[in-house]
Amino acid sequence: MLGKHSKLIFAVSMGFLVVAVIMAAWGFQKIVDKQIQKNVQLENNSMMFDKWLKLPMPLEFKVYIFNVTNVEDVNQGEKPILNEIGPYVYKQYRERTILGYGPNDTIKYMLRKRFEFDPEASGVLTEDDEVTVINFSYLAAVLTVHDMMPSFVGMVNKALEQFFPSLEDAFLRVKVRDLFFDGIYLNCDGDNAALGLVCGKIKSDTPPTMRPAEGANGFYFSMFSHMNRTETGPYDMIRGRENVYELGNIVSYKEQKVMPMWGDKYCGQINGSDSSIFPPIKEGNVPKKLYTFEPDICRSVYVDLVGKKEIFNISAYYYEISESAFAAKSANPNNKCFCRKNWSANHDGCLLMGLLNLMPCQGAPAIASLPHFFLGSEELLEYFGSGIMPDKEKHNTYVYIDPTSGVVLSGLKRLQFNIELRQIDTVPQLKRVPTGLFPMLWLEEGATIPASIQQELRDSHKLIGYVEVARWFLLTAAIIAVVTSAVAVARANALLSWPRNSNSVSFILGPSVTQVNKGN
Ligand SMILES: *[C@@H]1O[C@H](CO)[C@@H](O)[C@H](O)[C@H]1NC(C)=O
Ligand SMILES: *[C@@H]1O[C@H](CO)[C@@H](O)[C@H](O)[C@H]1NC(C)=O
Ligand SMILES: *[C@@H]1O[C@H](CO)[C@@H](O)[C@H](O)[C@H]1NC(C)=O
Ligand SMILES: *[C@@H]1O[C@H](CO)[C@@H](O)[C@H](O)[C@H]1NC(C)=O
Ligand SMILES: *[C@@H]1O[C@H](CO)[C@@H](O)[C@H](O)[C@H]1NC(C)=O
Ligand SMILES: *[C@@H]1O[C@H](CO)[C@@H](O)[C@H](O)[C@H]1NC(C)=O
Ligand SMILES: *[C@@H]1O[C@H](CO)[C@@H](O)[C@H](O)[C@H]1NC(C)=O
Ligand SMILES: *[C@@H]1O[C@H](CO)[C@@H](O)[C@H](O)[C@H]1NC(C)=O
C-alpha cells in the first residue's frame, strides 16, 4: 500500500520543500517587509502617519545660558569667566499641516512648533532670572558695519547709542524671558543717517531674531520667538510608498532643491529627513551616515554610525556626531563651501575646527558650534578664564534608531550660538575688550519615545521573531517530510526489487561491491 503511494508522497513533499525554501528565503521576508512598510509609510491609514502629523508627546527643548560673571574685568581686557546656567526647559509641540501631494511620491507640508515653559522641569530657574550675556544684537550691528566700512564704525556706534538705550559695554543685562521669547525693544526713531543705515540693513536682511514692532518704528530682538510664531516650510518629503528606504527624505524646502545661500551645489544639498522620521534599516545595508536637514542653520548635517547598542531592551543602531561634520576646511575639504568671506576682518572666511558661519543663513554674524566647543579647535578654549569645558556626555549629539521600523528610540540634538567680541579702537565700548569667539547660549532638543510605544515595538519584534521561528519550522518540517518520503520510496523500491536481487550477499553488501567485483 505504502509502496504504491510513496512516490506520490515523495513528489508532494518535494514540492512542499521547494515552497518552504522559497518562503524561508524570500516569501516571509517579503510579507514582513510589506507589513512594516504599510505601517511606516506616510499614508493616511498607516500607524506612523498620525504620530507624524501631530507628535503625540512634546519634545524637550532645553536652554543653557552663559552668564558672564566678570564684566568689568573683560571690559579691561581680562579673560571672560563664564557660569553656565540651565537648563531652562520648554515643551516643544510639533504639528504639521498638509498642503498636498506631489509627484514622485512626495507630501508637501508646513511644520509648526509651539513652545511652553516647563516650570517643574526647570526647577529653581524661572523666566524672570536676570542674566548677563554677550550683547548679541549690538555686536551684530557693530560687526556688520565694521566689516562693510571700518572707518565709519565710530560714527555709527554713536548712532547705535540711540538705538540701544543705556549702552555702556558689550554686555546685556536681561531677563531670560525677554532674551528668549518676549524680546528687547530697539528703537529706530530719529533722523540720524547712521541709525537709518542700521535699521535699513535690518529691514532688508530680515534676520529671524529681529521682529518688527507693531505700530512703532523699531524691532524686538529675541533668540527663539520666531520659532514659536512662524511655521517653517513648505517641505516636500518622500512618503516611502514606492521605496520605503527613501521614507522621510526631504527633496525640497521652500520650493528649492538646493539651499541657495551657500552659493554652492554641494554645500546647499538637502540631505536626509527633518529628524522626525527615518527609513527602516536593512541588516545587510546599514547606512554609515544618517543625514538630517536643519533649516535653522540652512544645511544638512549628519551623524556617523557607531554600531549596535541596546536601549529599552531593543537592539538599536547608534549614531553620533563626529568631528568631520563641522570640521575646518583642512580636515574635511568638503566643508570648504561653508567658508564665507567677510565674516571677520581677521580671517580668510574659513573658520576654525568645529564652527559654522551662520551669516549667509541668518543675515547676522552668528557662529554655530557644538556646546562648549565640543569637537572644536583647542584654540577656542584658550580665550576663557573658566566656564568652558567640553564633555562628550553632556555636549554630544546622537540618535538611537530601531532598525525594523526606523523609529527614533532616543535622540538629542545640541547646538551653541556664538558671536565674535572684537576689540575696536574707535568704539569706546570695545576699546579694551579681548578679541575672541564669545558664546551666548546653547540648546538641546530631544525626545525619548514613551514606554507605550517602546512596548509596541518590543511586541512587534517578538512577532517578527515568531515569524522567523515559523520560517525555520516550516523548512525543517519540509526537509523531514522529504527525507521520510525518500526513505519510504527507497524501501518501497527495495521491496519491489527484492525478488530480482535474490543474491543475499550482494544485497547485504550492497550493489557497489558486486559492481566493483564486476569491474575487475
Ligand atoms: C487620504 O489621502 C488621500 C490622498 O492620498 C486623500 O485624497 C484622502 O482624502 C485621504 N483620506 C482621508 C480619510 O483623509
Ligand atoms: C549672572 O551673573 C550676574 C553677575 O554678573 C549675577 O548678578 C546674576 O545673579 C547671575 N544670574 C544668575 C541667574 O545666576
Ligand atoms: C521626479 O523624478 C524624476 C526622475 O528622478 C525627475 O526627473 C523629476 O524632476 C522629478 N519630479 C519632481 C517634480 O521632482
Ligand atoms: C508661543 O506662542 C503662543 C501663542 O501662539 C503663546 O501662547 C506662548 O506663550 C508662546 N510661548 C512662549 C514660550 O513664549
Ligand atoms: C545691549 O543691547 C541691548 C539691545 O539688545 C540694549 O538695549 C542694551 O542697552 C545693551 N546693553 C548694555 C548693557 O549696554
Ligand atoms: C548628501 O548626500 C550625498 C549622498 O548620500 C553625499 O555624497 C553628500 O556628501 C551629502 N552632502 C552633504 C552636503 O553632506
Ligand atoms: C529589560 O529586560 C530585563 C531582563 O530581560 C528586564 O529585567 C527589564 O525590566 C527590561 N527592561 C525594560 C525597560 O523592559
Ligand atoms: C565681501 O564684501 C565685499 C565688499 O563689501 C563684497 O564686494 C563681496 O562680494 C563680499 N564677499 C562675499 C563672499 O560675500
Side-chain angles (χ1 to χ4, degrees), residues 345-392:
N346 306 331
H347 292 77
D348 68 348
C350 275
L351 304 187
L352 293 172
M353 196 75 185
L355 304 179
L356 175 71
N357 182 7
L358 292 182
M359 183 69 188
C361 176
Q362 303 211 330
I367 310 271
S369 69
L370 295 178
H372 289 242
F373 304 113
F374 175 57
L375 299 180
S377 167
E378 296 271 325
E379 205 180 319
L380 294 162
L381 308 182
E382 289 164 13
Y383 181 64
F384 304 95
S386 75
I388 296 291
M389 266 204 311
D391 175 340
K392 183 169 175 180

Side-chain angles (χ1 to χ4, degrees), residues 312-313 454 458:
F312 317 131
N313 285 355
Q454 290 171 22
R458 275 193 297 267

